[in-house]
């Protein structure tokens, strides 16, 4: 019985470690996308780590919607 209990504890810790690695990798992917939008990597990684990677994707969407998509209209003409 005692040997089975150690096995269950080991499986629990391994499962917790796998979930933590998946969470960290998802945060890193979202932080990389946020860095391409102009937000520093470590700030965005920490925000995703504390909140959720989905909140980071929401921030990326907001940053993209606020960025102008077309070039500025030419105000001075060459003569």
């Amino acid at each position: 019985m005692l040997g089975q209990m150690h096995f269950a504890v080991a499986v629990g810790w391994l499962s917790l470690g796998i979930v933590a690695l998946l969470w960290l990798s998802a945060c890193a992917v979202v932080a990389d996308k946020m860095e391409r939008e102009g937000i520093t990597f470590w700030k965005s990684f920490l925000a995703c780590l504390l909140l959720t990677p989905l909140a980071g994707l929401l921030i990326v969407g907001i940053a993209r919607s606020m960025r102008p998509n077309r070039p500025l209209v030419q105000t001075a003409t060459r003569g």
Side-chain angles (χ1 to χ4, degrees):
M1 182 71 177
L2 189 61
Q4 293 173 351
M5 185 59 113
H6 287 295
F7 180 71
V9 170
V11 167
W13 279 109
L14 285 173
S15 299
L16 186 65
I18 290 170
V19 168
L21 284 175
L22 289 174
W23 185 267
L24 288 175
S25 63
C27 290
V29 167
V30 172
D32 184 50
K33 288 183 180 183
M34 290 173 74
E35 186 178 25
R36 291 181 190 154
E37 294 296 324
I39 304 169
T40 60
F41 179 82
W42 290 110
K43 285 183 182 178
S44 57
F45 182 76
L46 186 62
C48 288
L49 188 65
L50 294 177
L51 297 173
T52 177
L54 293 176
L57 288 175
L58 182 67
I59 292 171
V60 169
I62 291 170
R64 282 187 184 167
S65 68
M66 294 179 69
R67 183 176 44 181
N69 294 332
R70 51 194 144 93
L72 295 175
V73 177
Q74 207 173 17
T75 56
T77 60
R78 294 184 184 177

